[in-house]
Amino acid sequence: LDLMLTLPGAEAKFNGHLDRSTPRIAVNGKIAAEVRELAALSKLAGVDVELPVPAALDATLAASQDGQRIEPMVLRIGKTSVEGSLVVNTKGAKPRLTARLTSKDLDLVRTGAEQKAGQPSSSRVFSEAKLPFTALTKADGDVDLRIDRLRLPDGLLLANVRVRGTLVNGSLLAEPIALNLAGGSVGG
């Protein structure tokens, strides 16, 4: 199965196969996506998509008896990257997502080419669109995030960012959280 989606400034490819020998259709293959410009992606989504670009994703999708696994996964943003895995377990009453993400250096500052002419750069990581909080009740999950050096869109530099989060029945708990900022440390 070879699929390709092409938009001005973006493209995505999937090369793999469907396995129908189990009760649930299993999908196995390689995913490659690249976004160079946001205009067409924003038009497709129906909202202004605010992401640092260029961005690219390379991942391997593997089915298991209990769900899907994306591993290895590499997300490149500009000259920096995030690596890790995402597991979607569908065996229980509702899906459970488990993400393990690491980065040596992650820079979320948007390039000048993506900023609108005559406007200051936004300090937002995401758009102003309302978050669909009701979606938090549709799945449970765990995340383990480790970033050695993180530059936020406004240029603020954080170091040794460590966050573990758990989502259960719509309740999100992020603990522990630890990071270094301006020569000091923050934890909780």
Side-chain angles (χ1 to χ4, degrees):
L1 177 66
D2 290 319
L3 301 172
M4 183 171 193
L5 170 66
T6 303
L7 298 168
E11 68 179 39
K13 298 176 186 177
F14 175 80
N15 179 277
H17 66 277
L18 301 177
D19 180 358
R20 295 187 174 136
S21 65
T22 61
R24 294 184 178 144
I25 295 175
V27 181
N28 297 286
K30 302 275 185 186
I31 301 167
E34 182 179 13
V35 178
R36 295 173 302 283
E37 298 173 14
L38 297 174
L41 202 55
S42 293
K43 187 175 180 180
L44 181 67
V47 296
D48 283 340
V49 176
E50 294 187 27
L51 297 171
V53 289
L57 172 70
D58 290 303
T60 299
L61 182 63
S64 70
Q65 189 174 7
D66 299 333
Q68 293 286 147
R69 173 180 293 277
I70 301 174
E71 184 178 35
M73 175 178 68
V74 178
L75 173 63
R76 289 182 308 284
I77 300 172
K79 295 179 181 178
T80 64
S81 66
V82 176
E83 299 180 13
S85 65
L86 175 64
V87 176
V88 181
N89 186 320
T90 55
K91 191 173 184 177
K94 59 182 166 181
R96 179 164 200 85
L97 304 152
T98 303
R100 305 282 179 253
L101 304 170
T102 62
S103 179
K104 296 275 186 212
D105 183 22
L106 182 58
D107 189 344
L108 299 177
V109 174
R110 293 182 62 182
T111 63
E114 283 300 317
Q115 294 174 8
K116 295 178 182 172
Q119 293 184 351
S121 67
S122 170
S123 62
R124 295 181 178 277
V125 176
F126 303 103
S127 74
E128 293 181 28
K130 291 184 180 181
L131 294 174
F133 286 109
T134 57
L136 294 177
T137 62
K138 307 291 183 197
D140 292 334
D142 298 292
V143 65
D144 185 2
L145 179 64
R146 298 174 177 271
I147 303 174
D148 293 343
R149 183 178 171 274
L150 173 63
R151 185 169 303 277
L152 298 177
D154 64 358
L156 183 64
L157 182 62
L158 307 177
N160 301 315
V161 177
R162 307 291 185 256
V163 178
R164 285 194 187 145
T166 303
L167 175 65
V168 178
N169 296 323
S171 179
L172 179 62
L173 175 65
E175 163 177 274
I177 296 175
L179 60 93
N180 296 114
L181 168 68
S185 62
V186 176

